[in-house]
Amino acid sequence: MRVSIRLASKRDLDAIKDLYRVAVSEQECLKPGWAVQADWGSQAFKVIEATVLQGVLEGFPVTTFVCDIDSVIVGYAIASLEPFPGGVLDGKSMRLRLRHLFVDEEARGVGVGEVLLAAAAKWGRARGAGVCEVEVLPGHRAAKNFCEAHALKARAITMSGLIEEVLGCIELDSDEASMIDACVRTALERPAHEIVDQRSIAAGCVVVQEGRVLVARRSERPFEGYWSIPGGIPEPGETLLECARRELEEETGIHAEIIGIAGVAERFWGRSNDGQKHFTIVNFLALPAMLSSATSLKTNLDADTDAAWVLPESIPEPSVPGVAEFLRLIKPAVEASMKREPLPPAVYSPPAGGDF
C-alpha cells in the first residue's frame, strides 16, 4: 500500500465532494449546525470547484491537494495564503490557512494526513508564509491530537504553529519527500496571484420595476447577510453579461432583459495594505422578463426576506459598502428605464474609503 499525492483537478471534484459530505456528517455529530455556520455555508460545492479550477479563494491564492491509495482518493487538503491577522508573526506577515484537511476514517493512521499537511506547509513556506493555522472543533479530539502532534497549538479555537516547526514534526522517507516536493513544484508553477491590491472582475444586475430596484442578501463571505445588488464572479469562459444573468437567477429566481449598463464601480475590500482586494464591478441595468415571479418578491422586509424591491435611495442595512452610494448615482437611469427613455451615460463609482 502506497500513499500518493498530487494537485487536485477537475476530474477529482466528485470524489472531493463525497469526502466533504462525510466530513460534514462527522462535524455535525460534534456540533449540530456546523454545516450552516461554516465559512462556506450552502455554497460549499461551488467554493470547492472554484478552488480547484481557478486557484483563488476570496481573492487569495489557494491550492488543493488530494491523496489516494491504490488510485482511490482518501483525503484532501485546501490551503490558502492570507495575511496574518493583526500584523506580523515571527517576521512574516503571511499565514498558511488550512481551510480543509480531511482523511476518510478507514484511511487514517497510515500517514495520509501527514503527507497532506507536509505538502500544504511546503507550498505555504515557498509562498512566504511563516505560520500555519487549522481550525478544529473543541470536541474533535482526534483532530486536536493530530494538530498538537505536529506543532500546532490552540490559539482560541484555532490550532496555530510555525511552519518550520510543523515540518520538523513530520517524518518522511526519501520517496515521500521527493513525491511531495514534486507536487509542490507543480503547484508553484501555477500563475502567482498578488496578495495586496488583488484585482477581481465581477458583474452585477440592477433590475428595475415600478421605480424600485431589486436587492438581495449575500449568502457567502465577504459580507454574508448584507444587502447588495445581485452579482458575482464570472465562471471560466463566461462573459460578464452571462454572469450577471446567471447570478440574478441563482440568487432571486428572476429572469431579466438586459437593457444597458448602469455603471462601473471600483471597491477596495479588506484591510489596507494587508490583503486588500480590488474589485471592478460592471453593473448592468435590466427589466424583469417574468413579471409573475418578480412581483412575488417583498417590499416589506423581515428576517426571512432574502430578496426585495426597494427605492434606490432606501437600500436596507446592513448593506455592502458602496452599494447605497451606487444606487443613488444611478437613480436617473432607473427613472429613464421605467419611462422607456434613452438611458443616461453609465456612471463611474470610485473606491470608497474605509475597511470592513
Side-chain angles (χ1 to χ4, degrees):
M1 180 182 68
R2 188 71 179 173
V3 176
S4 297
I5 188 170
R6 56 181 168 78
L7 283 186
S9 65
K10 185 176 182 178
R11 69 177 184 273
D12 301 319
L13 284 172
D14 288 342
I16 295 173
K17 290 177 182 179
D18 287 342
L19 285 173
Y20 176 78
R21 291 186 182 96
V22 177
V24 169
S25 297
E26 184 174 304
Q27 299 290 78
E28 282 286 323
C29 290
L30 296 168
K31 182 181 179 181
W34 178 87
V36 297
Q37 295 177 45
D39 280 357
W40 300 349
S42 62
Q43 301 293 316
F45 290 162
K46 185 176 180 180
V47 176
I48 290 172
E49 288 185 9
T51 64
V52 172
L53 300 178
Q54 301 175 24
V56 177
L57 181 59
E58 297 179 2
F60 300 112
V62 63
T63 192
T64 306
F65 298 102
V66 291
C67 270
D68 62 61
I69 298 176
D70 299 329
S71 300
V72 176
I73 294 177
V74 295
Y76 72 98
I78 298 178
S80 61
L81 189 67
E82 304 176 13
F84 184 77
V88 176
L89 179 67
D90 196 40
K92 303 213 181 249
S93 62
M94 304 306 298
R95 64 170 170 168
L96 170 72
R97 185 178 174 192
L98 272 171
R99 298 298 193 104
H100 275 201
L101 195 164
F102 182 75
V103 178
D104 188 77
E105 187 174 5
E106 295 183 0
R108 295 172 190 172
V110 296
V112 175
E114 287 193 332
V115 168
L116 288 168
L117 178 59
K122 288 189 175 185
W123 175 80
R125 181 177 63 181
R127 283 291 182 88
V131 67
C132 173
E133 294 196 340
V134 188
E135 293 181 5
V136 299
L137 292 182
H140 201 314
R141 174 55 56 182
K144 185 172 181 289
N145 289 346
F146 175 83
C147 289
E148 289 179 340
H150 296 93
L152 295 162
K153 302 177 180 65
R155 181 172 65 82
I157 60 170
T158 300
M159 306 299 291
S160 180
L162 299 179
I163 286 180
E164 293 298 337
E165 293 182 4
V166 172
L167 288 171
C169 293
I170 301 175
E171 295 184 2
L172 303 171
D173 61 33
S174 59
D175 289 341
E176 289 173 331
S178 297
M179 174 183 64
I180 290 171
D181 287 343
C183 186
V184 171
R185 281 196 300 272
T186 302
L188 293 172
E189 287 170 359
R190 288 185 170 180
H193 296 274
E194 294 293 333
I195 302 303
V196 178
D197 197 19
Q198 163 71 28
R199 183 185 293 269
S200 293
I201 305 297
C205 194
V206 181
V207 186
V208 179
Q209 180 177 255
E210 298 178 358
R212 296 177 181 265
V213 296
L214 181 64
V215 293
R217 289 188 200 268
R218 286 186 54 80
S219 60
E220 57 189 61
R221 296 174 65 186
F223 306 114
E224 183 177 0
Y226 283 48
W227 290 95
S228 187
I229 297 165
I233 304 294
E235 295 179 347
E238 187 177 50
T239 67
L240 288 171
L241 190 147
E242 291 168 342
C243 172
R245 280 203 187 108
R246 173 182 56 77
E247 291 283 353
L248 174 69
E249 292 173 15
E250 289 179 359
E251 294 182 29
T252 69
I254 289 181
H255 300 269
E257 173 196 355
I258 305 292
I259 60 173
I261 295 178
V264 176
E266 288 191 90
R267 298 289 180 258
F268 291 103
W269 288 331
R271 288 179 167 79
S272 303
N273 301 318
D274 192 12
Q276 195 171 71
K277 291 167 283 185
H278 184 179
F279 286 85
T280 301
I281 309 159
V282 177
N283 286 303
F284 293 89
L285 196 66
L287 299 175
M290 297 176 61
L291 291 179
S292 59
S293 64
T295 53
S296 67
L297 294 175
K298 301 178 181 181
T299 55
N300 57 321
L301 308 179
D302 55 44
D304 297 325
T305 303
D306 291 322
W309 298 102
V310 301
L311 296 173
E313 66 273 18
S314 303
I315 184 171
E317 296 296 339
S319 62
V320 172
V323 170
E325 174 198 351
F326 182 81
L327 290 178
R328 284 193 292 270
L329 286 175
I330 66 166
K331 188 173 181 180
V334 171
E335 295 172 347
S337 68
M338 295 312 304
K339 299 174 183 177
R340 290 288 183 170
E341 296 177 348
L343 298 178
V347 303
Y348 168 67
S349 178
D355 300 332
F356 68 84

